[in-house]
Amino acid sequence: RQMVEAISKGEISKEQMLKRRMLGEPLQYILGEWEFYGIPMLVGPGVLIPRADTEIAVEKAIELLKGKNAPRVLDVCAGSGCIGIAIARTINADVSFLEKSDEAIQYLEKNLELNEVCGKVYKADALKQPPMTENFDLIISNPPYIKTADLGSLQKEVQFEPKMALDGGEDGLIFYREIAKNYKPLINYGGSLVFEIGFDEADEVSKILENEGFKDVKAIRDYGGNMRVVIGTVK
Ligand code: GLN
């Protein structure tokens, strides 16, 4: 939609777009919009592009919330807002968002408006103490989870994406440790924490949740067959 508008207004030529793509820039940034969970999301430099791999985390969250009346959800490291917005568009949930990057928050706010979702946006660092005091039925997060040393070997397109959204520290697990510890007190009894994980992080992230006292910890594969989600419940 944005691209078509830009071309028709003469703001951007097809030649310019082709040149950007040939330099390795992700198609999604050039188009300015990408679909996630059947919902349009505005994207561009400065925000992580929503991935189809993440849809399984949304599906599991919706499954866990089934039967709850207007559940309260928090999307931590929300980026474009794709996870929380997909949940809010699918079920009657009250979704809040936490994000540190000013650039990402600009996209997040535009995506809330585009999809007519009302949600509170907290600008905060997920590695620090939570800025809110209210409780949630479900906290979901696709935090940065790539090991710092591996960032340089990611494919060319991913190099265009913000390092802040990818860098999970030396072992890739820093956000899982901090979020599990700091946000568990905000989860209602019977509520869950849902993490997207890297394909080789299921055992370590499961251990982190168990150490923090989460129950029924389990790992789930995505449709590509990779371990993609770890869930823990508070009870
Ligand atoms: N899935 C992303 C990738 O493979 C990583 C996203 C993240 O770190 N949360 O590039």
Side-chain angles (χ1 to χ4, degrees):
R1 172 185 357 216
Q2 283 209 320
M3 172 194 64
V4 173
E5 265 173 35
I7 292 174
S8 63
K9 283 193 210 146
E11 285 167 4
I12 178 171
S13 71
K14 286 184 188 153
E15 289 71 24
Q16 275 172 321
M17 290 171 62
L18 195 59
K19 202 186 270 172
R20 285 168 67 186
R21 185 67 197 100
M22 282 168 75
L23 290 169
E25 189 171 344
L27 176 67
Q28 293 91 334
Y29 283 174
I30 301 167
L31 298 177
E33 187 176 315
W34 198 244
E35 198 178 274
F36 176 80
Y37 209 77
I39 295 163
M41 293 290 154
L42 302 174
V43 294
V47 70
L48 192 82
I49 299 162
R51 273 114 163 115
D53 291 340
T54 301
E55 294 184 344
I56 186 79
V58 172
E59 278 173 28
K60 290 295 152 189
I62 289 168
E63 216 174 282
L64 287 163
L65 292 169
K66 217 185 288 166
K68 292 197 177 170
N69 181 33
R72 296 181 40 75
V73 176
L74 176 66
D75 180 353
V76 177
C77 303
S80 65
C82 64
I83 292 179
I85 292 172
I87 293 172
R89 290 294 307 178
T90 310
I91 60 168
N92 176 27
D94 174 0
V95 185
S96 298
F97 301 80
L98 183 132
E99 174 53 47
K100 176 184 173 192
S101 151
D102 284 315
E103 280 172 292
I105 286 177
Q106 285 183 19
Y107 289 101
L108 169 52
E109 282 177 342
K110 282 188 212 154
N111 284 324
L112 286 169
E113 201 183 309
L114 174 68
N115 290 292
E116 297 174 340
V117 170
C118 293
K120 213 185 251 178
V121 177
Y122 295 93
K123 177 177 157 46
D125 184 343
L127 296 177
K128 302 218 168 105
Q129 284 299 319
M132 70 288 281
T133 51
E134 70 253 58
N135 280 41
F136 299 93
D137 298 300
L138 185 133
I139 296 182
I140 185 163
S141 182
N142 174 19
Y145 57 64
I146 313 270
K147 294 187 183 82
T148 306
D150 292 344
L151 290 171
S153 50
L154 298 174
Q155 76 181 74
K156 196 170 174 188
E157 283 77 7
V158 183
Q159 308 280 350
F160 281 77
E161 295 186 276
K163 291 280 170 291
M164 194 204 281
L166 298 165
D167 187 353
E170 201 180 332
D171 65 358
L173 304 171
I174 180 167
F175 284 85
Y176 300 116
R177 277 191 289 269
E178 295 306 311
I179 295 170
K181 179 172 69 200
N182 296 332
Y183 283 82
K184 182 167 176 270
L186 269 58
I187 302 176
N188 287 330
Y189 185 85
S192 306
L193 177 61
V194 176
F195 275 139
E196 174 170 325
I197 57 157
F199 71 97
D200 56 354
E201 295 174 332
D203 291 345
E204 290 156 308
V205 175
S206 297
K207 220 167 285 159
I208 290 170
L209 291 197
E210 277 159 6
N211 287 344
E212 290 299 336
F214 284 87
K215 305 285 188 270
D216 304 338
V217 174
K218 58 179 176 223
I220 293 158
R221 289 178 197 277
D222 63 21
Y223 296 110
N226 290 316
M227 286 300 185
R228 187 58 63 199
V229 173
V230 170
I231 298 174
T233 299
V234 172
K235 57 184 183 187

